[in-house]
Amino acid sequence: MHRAHERLAARDELGRVLTPARPFGPIATEDVAGIGRSTVDQLFDRNNRIYSQAVSDLFPAYIIGRKGAGKTAFLISSDTDREVWRAAIDTEKVYHEMLNVLNAYRGDGLFVGQRAEIWTALFDHVAMFHAWRFFDGHDPEGKLNVLGTYLGRAADPAADASQVAERFLRQVRERVHERPGTGPTEILEGMGQDKARFADARAAMRDLLTDRGQPLVIVMDNLEELHLRLRELTPVLAGLFRAVGGIMARSPSDRPYGVQICLPSELFDQIHRIAAAADKDMQGGYLKIYWSARELLRLAGTRLHLFLRTRHPDEYDRLARAADRVDEPEPDIALLRAALPTNFRSGLGIPEDPVAYLLRHTQLLPRHLIHILNSVFSRHDRGSTPWQVTPAAILAGTRHAEHLLVTSILAAYQASYPLAGEALRRLTGRLDICFPACELHKVYNRQGIRKVSGMDFDEFLSMLFSLGVLGIRFGQTGRYNKAHFQYTFDYELGAQEEHDHLCVHPLFTRYLLERSLPQLRKAQAHATYPYGCDPQGEDYRTAFGYTVPPPRN
């Protein structure tokens, strides 16, 4: 009876997340963070090879990914790894409280090393609370008593790591106001009481965690609005990077815990500038999140499987039988294919595999594909159902999703390219889907884009590559121009004006060429096929050396 009740509860939770309007779930991981652990486990695919590196023994200090790459999902998923303890602290609240502390010191009045000292002490407090709360029978009682005495009211089993961190920062701020002109070292030395000072508690924590066999990693998610508050938070971030670099530079025997910080790749160039000494502050390594087409399809197929089994079990059974006849080794991907039409023509009139069409309109990000699929599979106004999708629903749903995705991409790069939207509007209707690179330079000059954007041509082209608006053609088929886009590379693309052809990404085609589409269709223009999105193609991450190929059985 108890297990039956659990199954019903899990089904109800899935029903709240996978809805008729969003059959593939919300695009933001934060929207599912409050549901049960077993339900979350069903929604996330841990077969991703980048994920396996994120939770490896190396514990990269920084997890870097574009908006929608799943940085939060990586943290939530990694929390289920019982070989490692992970203590998550609320990034928004901690940044806010740290900013209050620095403002009490009159902001930039502290050197970077002093700000790092406060950050390191914050991480130490989180580790102290963890060491005290999750004690075992082998821990020396005296050291636990030191931690309990020092933490005082913070030693509340009902508290969490974020509350401990916030309480510590508020204490620091109060002491700064009480003792103006006192530096962080003196403030920290004075915390606690005679029986247990800060230095005593830190030493007890290090001994306890070093003796335990299960590592602790303190994790901080990305701040979603970091691009809007980057200037304000620069002192906070500079201290954070110096602290993380110092922690990760220690020898493993002198490092009782690790730290993992999620950061947006859209701001990575500015983050490097914020770091006072990037080679020292960014120690500990970083891992960039890249997804393969197969991994995205597996994730999508799993979500469709869960949605249909939860809400339409009869249709699921019929579709599963149809999926058995699909030439696809992975059942959930076969289920996705079985729900899509076999005959489909793109907006350019090209006969196309609908799965490839959907993937082409993403930048290989989970958020992109989930948003597009939600839009496509909920188009009941096009004679479509989630178990029998019509070609009209694919076209209308993809078109509907494109606008929000383009807006989201421009917003993510707002800090780096505040005038990107205006510059792109100067290109509208003035280029083909594929064109010589020198033609872009002519349009740039004719439309006065330098005056609008303040960028010279090379900077403008670099922006278009960064946004994923344009790629560089490397091959052709009878239907497509195959192109490399920067989001699959770990370095910046560069084009030669006299030799290279540039291609507009499918996600931006309608944004830039809406009025030209009838003529392009009539001229049988080639569509852009971004490298890496072929459902049956090679894993570009292995080809570029980002991941190690899986072992052969």
Side-chain angles (χ1 to χ4, degrees):
M1 182 67 69
H2 179 65
R3 289 183 178 177
H5 179 74
E6 286 183 341
R7 286 195 296 270
L8 287 173
R11 188 186 67 184
D12 290 343
E13 284 184 335
L14 279 172
R16 290 198 299 271
V17 174
L18 306 176
T19 66
R22 299 188 303 187
F24 292 82
I27 61 172
T29 305
E30 295 87 344
D31 293 342
V32 302
I35 65 176
R37 169 61 63 190
S38 62
T39 307
V40 171
D41 288 347
Q42 295 180 73
L43 294 173
F44 297 112
D45 180 14
R46 293 176 185 79
N47 292 317
N48 181 295
R49 282 160 59 190
I50 296 290
Y51 167 78
S52 67
Q53 295 181 35
V55 299
S56 70
D57 292 339
L58 299 176
F59 299 132
Y62 297 99
I63 297 178
I64 312 297
R66 289 170 291 153
K67 185 176 181 179
K71 296 183 290 297
T72 302
F74 272 62
L75 291 185
I76 291 177
S77 299
S78 63
D79 188 42
T80 63
D81 181 4
R82 294 309 176 193
E83 298 300 318
V84 178
W85 285 102
R86 282 179 167 81
I89 55 180
D90 188 308
T91 305
E92 181 175 358
K93 293 178 180 177
V94 169
Y95 279 179
H96 173 75
E97 291 295 344
M98 184 65 76
L99 191 59
N100 286 339
V101 170
L102 298 187
N103 287 338
Y105 274 112
R106 297 186 179 178
D108 290 331
L110 293 180
F111 292 110
V112 173
Q114 292 175 302
R115 293 179 232 150
E117 189 175 0
I118 302 173
W119 270 111
T120 303
L122 180 149
F123 292 135
D124 283 343
H125 274 74
V126 172
M128 290 174 197
F129 177 69
H130 172 86
W132 174 84
R133 183 180 181 187
F134 297 102
F135 63 89
D136 61 38
H138 303 289
D139 291 329
E141 186 174 346
K143 296 185 186 300
L144 290 172
N145 288 337
V146 169
L147 290 181
T149 301
Y150 174 78
L151 291 171
R153 287 184 298 167
D156 179 0
D160 59 26
S162 291
Q163 291 168 330
V164 171
E166 290 176 77
R167 186 173 186 274
F168 161 71
L169 291 174
R170 285 195 291 268
Q171 286 179 319
V172 172
R173 179 159 51 94
E174 290 169 2
R175 287 176 173 269
V176 172
H177 286 307
E178 292 169 359
R179 302 171 61 187
T182 305
T185 300
E186 292 78 10
I187 291 289
L188 294 171
E189 287 176 349
M191 294 185 70
Q193 47 186 291
D194 291 339
K195 294 181 180 179
R197 293 289 181 184
F198 172 69
D200 302 321
R202 172 182 269 172
M205 172 271 292
R206 287 180 173 175
D207 290 343
L208 287 168
L209 293 185
T210 301
D211 291 342
R212 293 178 187 174
Q214 197 169 26
L216 168 67
V217 179
I218 300 172
V219 299
M220 291 179 63
D221 196 5
N222 174 53
L223 181 65
E224 189 74 13
E225 60 197 49
L226 182 59
H227 61 287
L228 299 176
R229 304 188 64 180
L230 192 62
R231 181 188 296 268
E232 177 188 13
L233 290 172
T234 291
V236 171
L237 293 171
L240 171 64
F241 301 149
R242 176 63 56 84
V244 172
I247 291 169
M248 301 308 290
R250 300 172 188 163
S251 65
S253 60
D254 190 37
R255 190 194 309 154
Y257 58 84
V259 181
Q260 279 191 331
I261 312 293
C262 283
L263 294 171
S265 19
E266 294 92 341
L267 299 177
F268 208 48
D269 57 337
Q270 297 194 52
I271 285 168
H272 267 275
R273 288 196 290 271
I274 289 173
D279 57 339
K280 180 166 72 172
D281 297 352
M282 306 303 284
Q283 288 188 77
Y286 63 87
L287 177 70
K288 280 194 173 181
I289 300 177
Y290 295 96
W291 288 80
S292 72
R294 297 290 293 178
E295 287 170 345
L296 291 176
L297 290 179
R298 191 183 303 117
L299 174 66
T302 298
R303 298 283 182 93
L304 180 61
H305 174 136
L306 292 171
F307 171 77
L308 292 177
R309 283 194 61 181
T310 301
R311 290 186 170 271
H312 305 283
D314 292 339
E315 283 79 5
Y316 167 77
D317 289 338
R318 285 192 286 271
L319 189 64
R321 289 193 292 272
D324 289 339
R325 300 189 292 272
V326 174
D327 184 18
E328 167 57 56
E330 298 196 47
D332 285 345
I333 298 180
L335 189 76
L336 183 68
R337 283 193 171 277
L340 294 167
T342 53
N343 297 315
F344 171 75
R345 285 183 177 271
S346 71
L348 290 173
I350 299 172
E352 191 166 0
D353 172 12
V355 172
Y357 175 83
L358 294 169
L359 283 171
R360 284 199 304 110
H361 285 77
T362 75
Q363 293 184 346
L364 294 178
L365 294 173
R367 183 175 296 189
H368 287 185
L369 184 58
I370 289 172
H371 184 66
I372 290 172
L373 290 175
N374 278 338
S375 183
V376 167
F377 276 69
S378 61
R379 296 303 299 224
H380 307 294
D381 60 328
R382 303 287 171 162
S384 184
T385 65
W387 52 90
Q388 191 173 7
V389 178
T390 63
I394 295 176
L395 291 173
T398 303
R399 178 177 181 173
H400 181 264
E402 286 172 354
H403 178 74
L404 181 60
L405 292 178
V406 168
T407 301
S408 177
I409 291 169
L410 295 179
Y413 282 94
Q414 178 69 24
S416 298
Y417 306 117
L419 300 175
E422 178 59 32
L424 282 177
R425 280 189 284 274
R426 299 295 178 106
L427 299 181
T428 302
R430 294 177 172 86
L431 296 166
D432 290 326
I433 294 179
C434 186
F435 53 88
C438 58
E439 183 63 26
L440 178 66
H441 204 154
K442 295 175 184 176
V443 174
Y444 165 87
N445 290 332
R446 286 198 298 264
Q447 296 302 313
I449 292 177
R450 183 188 183 99
K451 184 177 181 180
V452 170
S453 65
M455 292 183 283
D456 63 29
F457 178 73
D458 289 339
E459 291 170 329
F460 176 64
L461 181 58
S462 177
M463 179 194 77
L464 296 177
F465 285 151
S466 296
L467 295 172
V469 177
L470 298 181
I472 301 176
R473 188 177 73 184
F474 69 90
Q476 287 181 294
T477 70
R479 301 175 182 175
Y480 302 108
N481 289 307
K482 298 189 290 186
H484 284 136
F485 284 84
Q486 189 161 301
Y487 56 76
T488 59
F489 287 83
D490 199 22
Y491 57 86
E492 294 186 0
L493 290 183
Q496 297 181 5
E497 280 193 53
E498 301 305 320
H499 302 286
D500 285 325
H501 278 68
L502 305 177
C503 299
V504 178
H505 193 282
L507 194 56
F508 285 86
T509 298
R510 193 175 298 277
Y511 184 85
L512 294 178
L513 303 170
E514 174 77 39
R515 296 176 60 187
S516 307
L517 287 177
Q519 290 83 0
L520 293 169
R521 193 179 301 116
K522 185 176 180 180
Q524 298 182 322
H526 284 45
T528 303
Y529 206 108
Y531 178 62
C533 72
D534 186 346
Q536 306 298 334
E538 66 175 335
D539 188 333
Y540 70 92
R541 301 168 308 180
T542 301
F544 293 156
Y546 302 154
T547 61
V548 178
R552 295 179 179 272
N553 295 328

